[in-house]
Amino acid sequence: FSMLFTQVEFASKVLPLTNILLGTVPTSVIYILLQNPQLQEGAEITHAVMSVTNPVYGLPGVILMMMSKGEMSLLGHLMSPTASPLYGSIILCVVLTTNLIYQDARSRTAIPGNYQEFDGDHKDDDVRGEEDRVEWMLSSEAQAAT
């Protein structure tokens, strides 16, 4: 989402709402589908799709599917489709991190120029005054040390 916004203020207003929508809407839809025995297969397919495409779906998706599957051991939950958001989030993090690194590497296309000695003619009075002050302080410290 960071490439969609030009201003930080706008992104800080929109992204929390986006996180709520990405976490709540799919979970609510799957919950409703799970209530109808004829639509449970559709709920499981939607659960699998959300597990690998929606980074915010992970925790709510696991909790929802654990509730719908009933009593199981931890290993049973981890080996069932219930845990697919857990595994999908790992895959999704790798993909999104790779994309972020790729986009960041592409953003730096400037080639540095050759080194040029700066003659100091374009310094303003404040810069020259600060340089003189620093030189005076360093020379005072050197004299005090001897």
Side-chain angles (χ1 to χ4, degrees):
F1 288 122
S2 63
M3 298 177 141
L4 299 176
F5 304 108
T6 56
Q7 297 177 352
V8 175
E9 293 83 14
F10 185 64
S12 66
K13 292 175 185 175
V14 172
L15 285 178
L17 179 63
T18 306
N19 285 338
I20 290 172
L21 290 177
L22 287 175
T24 305
V25 172
T27 306
S28 300
V29 168
I30 292 171
Y31 178 75
I32 292 168
L33 291 174
L34 284 171
Q35 300 307 309
N36 188 342
Q38 297 171 342
L39 300 175
Q40 284 190 352
E41 186 177 337
E44 290 177 4
I45 291 170
T46 308
H47 173 72
V49 170
M50 286 294 115
S51 297
V52 294
T53 59
N54 187 347
V56 185
Y57 178 72
L59 182 61
V62 170
I63 293 171
L64 178 66
M65 293 307 280
M66 284 177 76
M67 289 181 348
S68 72
K69 295 295 181 188
E71 194 76 26
M72 291 174 78
S73 67
L74 176 62
L75 186 59
H77 280 298
L78 291 176
M79 299 305 287
S80 72
T82 300
S84 60
L86 175 66
Y87 306 126
S89 65
I90 293 170
I91 294 167
L92 196 56
C93 282
V94 170
V95 169
L96 293 176
T97 301
T98 304
N99 182 43
L100 184 63
I101 292 169
Y102 174 73
Q103 295 292 334
D104 186 53
R106 273 189 37 198
S107 68
R108 291 190 210 101
T109 58
I111 300 171
N114 295 332
Y115 175 76
Q116 295 178 350
E117 187 68 38
F118 181 67
D119 58 5
D121 287 343
H122 301 289
K123 296 179 182 178
D124 63 2
D125 293 334
D126 292 336
V127 172
R128 288 188 186 125
E130 182 66 16
E131 286 177 344
D132 293 340
R133 185 185 69 80
V134 170
E135 284 179 21
W136 178 80
M137 285 178 52
L138 291 175
S139 65
S140 298
E141 289 175 5
Q143 288 176 357
T146 57

